Amino acid sequence: MAKRTGLSRDESGRSGTGGGSGAPGTRRRAAGALFGPEGLVGALGHWRERGFHLVRTARGWAAVFEVEGPDGDPVRVLDVGGAYQSATYLGKRRFEPVFSYYRAFDAVFAAGISVRRVLMLGAGGCAWPKHAAASHAGLTVDAVEEDPRIAEAARRFFFAGELERPCAGRGVLNLVAAEGRAFLEGGAEPYDAILNDAFCGEEPALRLATVEAAQAVARRLAPGGLYLANVVSRDGGADLSFLRGVVATLSRVFPTVQVIPCPDQDFSDEDNFLVAATAGPARLPGALPYDAGFPTAPLRDR
């Protein structure tokens, strides 16, 4: 999900809530600050009492630790390369969405289509997939995560394993270790909705952002199905170039493309947007109008 931290800790290791872009208290953690030789020793000392764990991933070391959420409740985060890739509440709230764009993904259930089978690309800690499965009886969520060690961390630290077992009154989460584009192109089963939250640290997974990837998505959607992609701004919200490229790309494949803002000033100094695409009648509340000059050149496979 690539949320740069809007939460900060002081030198005693306590956590606090930073503001949004330009607000007092906002800090960005540089990727090397935590995992350099000296930073690692310091971090272990600061965070030992807050459940600090190092997790080896395909791209290096990641960290799992707890911070204080805006409402004072503890939040466990997965930090990869200086960006929060996932977050979860603990205890009774463990299936509630932490970030606003997680909650915005629930738009699939308000789009006027029947949703029984959903695919999530870029599962990370399975924040939205577990929330959806826990909240919707009869729902099947296939969550695809490229890095099997991240998938294991989702089970170990983020409660995803609880939803992999059938339970009355809940849906089922299937956590799959696979590369998202290959999973799309290698299957034929249709999905009512496909969600894309695939990032490599702070960078979006470009193999899932091209016209060719959008065509693969369209082939896997059931008639009238809905595609939602999480897109993050740059430069404190000033740079929307990637968002404009995603809109242009999806417009080459889908007749209807909408942009839904879902800012989260409690946790990030960048803006999140959901880009929704469909060939059906689905319409999402809160979509932003944009003129013909907003889309730029579409993104294509190299």
Side-chain angles (χ1 to χ4, degrees):
M1 46 61 64
K3 274 208 178 288
R4 293 170 182 159
T5 175
L7 297 179
S8 60
R9 62 178 176 84
D10 61 24
E11 291 308 310
S12 66
R14 294 188 298 271
S15 301
T17 305
S21 177
T26 298
R27 296 184 186 175
R28 298 184 186 180
R29 182 189 303 111
L34 184 60
F35 299 113
E38 295 180 0
L40 175 57
V41 173
L44 286 172
H46 287 314
W47 289 98
R48 193 183 307 277
E49 71 281 8
R50 301 302 297 272
F52 188 98
H53 296 271
L54 288 173
V55 178
R56 184 185 291 277
T57 73
R59 293 179 173 83
W61 289 102
V64 175
F65 52 89
E66 293 174 21
V67 296
E68 184 179 302
D71 55 6
D73 282 354
V75 171
R76 181 177 293 158
V77 297
L78 172 65
D79 187 302
V80 180
Y84 289 172
Q85 294 295 104
S86 197
T88 184
Y89 290 113
L90 308 178
K92 293 181 179 180
R93 300 186 67 188
R94 65 193 182 280
F95 299 138
E96 293 182 26
V98 175
F99 301 137
S100 64
Y101 88 92
Y102 292 163
R103 298 186 290 275
F105 272 134
D106 278 352
V108 299
F109 303 116
I113 61 174
S114 175
V115 180
R116 306 292 290 176
R117 184 176 170 84
V118 177
L119 171 64
M120 168 65 86
L121 303 170
C126 287
W128 187 86
K130 70 179 183 182
H131 156 68
S135 305
H136 297 272
L139 181 70
T140 297
V141 184
D142 293 341
V144 176
E145 170 54 47
E146 180 177 7
D147 190 336
R149 291 178 175 175
I150 295 291
E152 186 53 38
R155 295 185 177 101
R156 181 181 176 189
F157 299 112
F158 293 86
F159 311 106
E162 293 185 41
L163 279 305
E164 290 184 294
R165 301 185 295 271
C167 180
R170 292 179 177 173
V172 176
L173 167 62
N174 300 315
L175 181 51
V176 181
E179 193 273 327
R181 178 79 174 266
F183 185 90
L184 281 173
E185 296 175 341
E189 301 85 359
Y191 291 95
D192 302 307
I194 297 176
L195 283 55
N196 179 359
D197 193 26
F199 285 80
C200 302
E202 295 182 4
E203 297 300 317
L206 294 181
R207 271 179 53 81
L208 289 168
T210 64
V211 170
E212 292 80 5
Q215 291 168 341
V217 167
R219 288 192 292 269
R220 295 298 299 273
L221 280 174
L226 182 66
Y227 176 60
L228 283 173
N230 175 35
V231 178
V232 183
S233 68
R234 295 179 180 272
D235 295 336
D239 184 350
L240 300 180
S241 57
F242 188 67
L243 174 66
R244 298 173 67 192
V246 170
V247 171
T249 299
L250 293 178
S251 296
R252 292 296 181 96
V253 179
F254 295 94
T256 300
V257 178
Q258 302 171 79
V259 177
I260 299 94
C262 41
D264 203 338
Q265 292 187 348
D266 287 327
F267 286 94
S268 179
D269 53 4
E270 294 291 355
D271 293 328
N272 284 71
F273 299 87
L274 292 188
V275 182
T278 182
R283 292 293 186 273
L284 301 183
L288 293 174
Y290 56 86
D291 61 28
F294 182 75
T296 54
L299 307 170
R300 294 190 176 274
D301 287 350
R302 294 179 178 178

